[in-house]
Amino acid sequence: MSPPETGPTAPEPQLAPGLIQVLGKTFPFPRRHFLSVLDLNPVEVADLLDLADGFVVLNRQTSKKLDLLKGRTLMNLFFENSTRTQSSFELAGKRLGADVVNMSPRASSISKGETLIDTAVTLNAMQPDLLVVRHASSGAASLLSQKVSCSVINAGDGQHEHPTQALLDALSMRRAFGRIAGLRVAICGDVLHSRVARSNVGLLQMMGAEVRLVGPPTLIPAEADRWGSEVFHDLRKGIAGCDVVMMLRLQLERMDGVLAPSQREYFRFFGLDREKLACAAPHVRVMHPGPMNRGVEIDSEVADDLAVSLIQDQVEMGVAARMAVLAALSARLDND
Ligand code: ASP
């Protein structure tokens, strides 16, 4: 008798050895929430980056799914618009096996007068395990974390912080240069309104990079001299010799008065084009958290040049870095 036919079986997802080790030792993440880079220490950041490296390997395979978050529910609660962050948290949750629900309360309860806390407490009653929050007010995620029983992840609170963006940026840099310590990074443009800048300054300095801030005086926060970064008001001088030039979006929606000249004028002085970029180190890599205002803070010729631009890598690393955060928090959930 011939043996029963067996169909082809899907290959098991392969993970980088680093990831198995980190998961195997039960990632020692001591917090329930992920709110600010300032809550982290360099060892935790390095562990999260190692984990994320493993998830990059997984995400490049045909079969990308694990069951680390099987049975768990992740809610994306975005009070502000988002393309990259929301979709990458959704993918990250799904690839780890969670059920994912997306909420954009602008369109529903908030327009009916429900407050941030009412909305969160209502959602909390549906027993999510992880709540990913973006809100226009600084401190919103931290406030919510005191009102709900699940883990809260800050996906951007006003001008304050965007910790997973800083983590994915650090991952992109570490993969491009093999290290973060000793890199000279210029963060350029609308620093005043940027939560990305605040989180990056905190995390990059913690990991040993030298961070410079570059922008017109009206777009550099008054307290920036206490951030431990040198401030420049001339783009060419600010990026001179830099390994990484990180451009920021001009956040017109957060500007009350006239803080920037016309967009044409802004591009002339603070827009990154090839000519200005020549002042940076020869091996410079360019970053931007997106969404980009092409022709305002960055020229398309630079943004789309894959020999210098890490912007697409940042999008890819966003999914892996967020998987690492969810995995770390889930190890903690398992111990609760
Ligand atoms: N996407 C980033 C943020 O949410 C950067 C930006 O919007 O300019 O802060």
Side-chain angles (χ1 to χ4, degrees), residues 11-37:
E12 280 292 301
Q14 294 298 308
L15 300 178
L19 175 61
I20 293 167
Q21 275 166 22
V22 177
L23 288 178
K25 73 179 184 197
T26 310
F27 194 79
F29 198 69
R31 273 167 290 282
R32 176 189 281 272
H33 308 294
F34 195 83
L35 302 173
S36 162
V37 296

Side-chain angles (χ1 to χ4, degrees), residues 215-232:
T218 47
L219 294 179
I220 299 286
E223 77 278 9
D225 52 355
R226 281 183 270 124
W227 293 5
S229 294
E230 204 177 343
V231 174
F232 295 81

Side-chain angles (χ1 to χ4, degrees), residues 84-85 134 155 162 165 195-196 249 251 253-254 289-291:
R84 271 157 289 268
T85 308
R134 168 169 290 190
H162 194 351
Q165 176 75 44
R195 51 197 177 206
V196 173
R249 183 173 66 90
Q251 300 203 11
E253 79 279 16
R254 296 196 206 278

Side-chain angles (χ1 to χ4, degrees), residues 13-168:
Q14 294 298 308
L15 300 178
L19 175 61
I20 293 167
Q21 275 166 22
V22 177
L23 288 178
K25 73 179 184 197
T26 310
F27 194 79
F29 198 69
R31 273 167 290 282
R32 176 189 281 272
H33 308 294
F34 195 83
L35 302 173
S36 162
V37 296
L38 301 179
D39 295 336
L40 304 171
N41 63 47
V43 175
E44 286 167 354
V45 173
D47 276 350
L48 284 168
L49 296 179
D50 290 345
L51 251 181
D53 266 330
F55 288 130
V56 175
V57 177
L58 177 76
N59 288 339
R60 288 181 178 177
Q61 294 174 183
T62 316
S63 173
K64 303 171 174 54
K65 212 153 163 155
L66 297 179
D67 58 7
L68 212 64
L69 291 183
K70 194 164 172 216
R72 307 238 183 238
T73 305
L74 181 153
M75 277 189 178
N76 268 330
L77 180 57
F78 278 65
F79 293 88
E80 276 192 329
N81 281 334
S82 168
T83 311
R84 271 157 289 268
T85 308
Q86 182 167 346
S87 54
S88 68
F89 267 114
E90 181 175 357
L91 269 182
K94 286 181 172 165
R95 286 187 183 165
L96 294 177
D99 294 318
V100 181
V101 180
N102 290 312
M103 307 281 301
S104 297
R106 266 163 297 119
S108 54
S109 347
I110 289 299
S111 52
K112 295 179 197 146
E114 203 172 73
T115 67
L116 163 69
I117 293 176
D118 285 338
T119 307
V121 168
T122 302
L123 296 178
N124 189 51
M126 298 180 199
Q127 307 291 340
D129 302 285
L130 298 140
L131 194 57
V132 178
V133 184
R134 168 169 290 190
H135 195 275
S137 302
S138 300
S142 169
L143 180 67
L144 281 194
S145 70
Q146 295 158 29
K147 307 282 176 194
V148 297
S149 50
C150 56
S151 285
V152 175
I153 299 162
N154 183 4
D157 61 329
Q159 299 170 198
H160 178 229
E161 277 230 37
H162 194 351
T164 58
Q165 176 75 44
L167 196 67
L168 77 89

